Amino acid sequence: MNGNFWLLCMALQLVGLTSSAQTTDPQQVAQLVANRIVEECAFDFIKKPIATRQEYSWYFDYQNMPASASTNTHYVISELVFQKESESAAAYQLAVSHTAGRMVIKIGEQTFESTTENDHQLIRQDYELLDFLTYFSLSKVKKTEKTPLPVSVYFYPTKDTQPSFWIGFVEADSRMTTRQLSLQNPLWATASTAFAVRPKAQQGVVSDLPPMLPATPLVHHFPSRLNFTDWRYYTGTFLTAMNDVTNHFGTLDQSPFIEQHLQFFYKNKDKIAAENHATGRLSGPFTLYFRNKMLDDFGPQGTAVLHYLDRKYGNDLAGMQQDPFYSILENILDNIQNKVARLKDGTLVRITPDTSTVQSDDLFMAGLPLIRAAKVLQRPELLEDAVTQSLNFHKYLYNEQTELYHHAYFTWSNEQSCCHWGRGMGWMMMIYVELLHALPDNHPQRPTILKNYRAVCSGLLRYQNEDGRWHQIITDPNTYLETSATAMFVRALAEGCTNKWFTKKERKKMRAAAQLGWSGLCSKLEKDGQVMGIVRGTPIFETANQYANWNTRPNDPRGLGAVLWAAIAMDKLLK
């Protein structure tokens, strides 16, 4: 964009002509969005029964077996359908977990058997990586003229209490379950999967066999509205941002709501844990708290806990350590430093989609609690770890030609992922802001951090849309304009201008870009505080087209914290 265009946009923004939003006043925007978050938090559990499929597996339990059913054998009869003519079973494995006893599964002419003396619950390692008890190759399962193939499942429990089992299909080479390869509920097979299993004979099974088991009524679905009260990285993010709104604006005190939110979690987590164990439920309230393995599971949530404790106890560390939330915080920090997988150079990685993936999101998930806990708890080693992560993520994800970050880096192939995904890069920009506020001027790595930050900001300006926003794939104008990334970039640019992290020559164009971005961001704010155009949770895709087709959701909580931070940054800049 040329200089005259920038000046025109700045002038129009001042008179409110470039935005269709009701307001561009940062404090009013923060109030509207904070009010919307509060409104979305019902602080209640509304349960609805659903089918047995969850986490791309089946779950069967027998607590409600009919009295006529066999007391020592449980039987399910279905049919395996190959949805694609070219599909072979050799690429998949049959995976099972079950309570104490013996399982016999027959698929066509093949028989598989699993025995255990101990209960084995299905364990969730990642969003699509599950640990089952036993895996069976399906390489000998062949299509025949009798397709669909008959499937029989026999379970012989050795305990009288709550017998149950899980069945799923996984990729043979990675043991990951995916939406494309998942086992569907027997009552509602869909044509979009590689396999589907459906009940044999809708009129019922042979009369001398126990009836086919229905979905257990103890497995519940929780409506999307509860997402705002869940233990998720995005709730931790917007609670932390609401804490910052309270500190910055003063009159917008969100601390009672933050306390209510955390207390709701604390008062209900043990009850939910017991119910999960009794029903075999893997998904539901506080799922990530119970998994407790990935940075998504605890990072930003830990930051919200940190600020809650800091507001309550201040400098009284001894008192803080007696609070039950403190042990949760300590566990989170220990997980980040000692339990999450790392490369040899210390870089935090995910175990999927390959064995060690550097993913842009994770710099924020770990960096935010590390940086802020370093100050509150007076533990400088946490800040040093965050510095190391920022430098290493830059090394793996930076592209010198575009001056932007890729979504991920795959260590098995030594390749960066296909695309510059907007929000993924936005999370990294958030950590630049946090680090540059936290690092003293004489820190030996501050010049490098500052150099990297300024280079990426320069790259961002090359791809800003004329209305101020950025695209889902930053370098691809054919993808839609995305709100959460725009908010993050606005914050990064505005903070850089206010704090003079840019040179005097740079500040003029960076300020113009921040103001134009703010105008575009405010155009996506509704009267009731809903924010439009936020992309939903996004995996690492293989093509730009997949990112382009990954849709947005109104008021998706993954982007609301970013909007609040952008409001704070713009309020500083405009003042």
Side-chain angles (χ1 to χ4, degrees), residues 73 112 123 129 179 199 221 228 241 255 272 296 301 347 361 377 403 423 435 442 487 493 495 538:
T73 304
F112 310 95
I123 300 172
L129 179 63
R179 291 174 179 83
H221 166 65
F228 281 76
S255 56
I272 293 295
D296 282 13
Q301 300 92 310
T347 309
D361 317 39
L377 303 180
E403 295 184 298
R423 187 162 68 221
L435 278 176
N442 62 354
L493 296 172
E495 290 279 5
T538 307

Side-chain angles (χ1 to χ4, degrees), residues 435-447 450 499 501:
L435 278 176
L436 290 171
H437 276 304
L439 289 174
D441 291 340
N442 62 354
H443 190 282
Q445 296 297 345
R446 184 180 177 90
L450 187 59
N499 294 283
W501 297 334

Side-chain angles (χ1 to χ4, degrees), residues 328-348:
I328 295 175
L329 175 62
E330 279 295 301
N331 180 64
I332 289 170
L333 295 175
D334 180 60
N335 279 352
I336 295 172
Q337 292 202 289
N338 302 311
K339 296 179 181 178
V340 175
R342 294 183 182 231
L343 302 179
K344 291 182 178 180
D345 62 6
T347 309
L348 291 161

Side-chain angles (χ1 to χ4, degrees), residues 503-519:
T503 65
K504 187 175 181 180
K505 182 179 179 181
E506 290 173 326
R507 282 202 294 272
K508 183 177 181 180
K509 61 180 180 180
M510 296 297 179
R511 181 185 180 93
Q515 288 187 295
L516 184 62
W518 176 246
S519 177

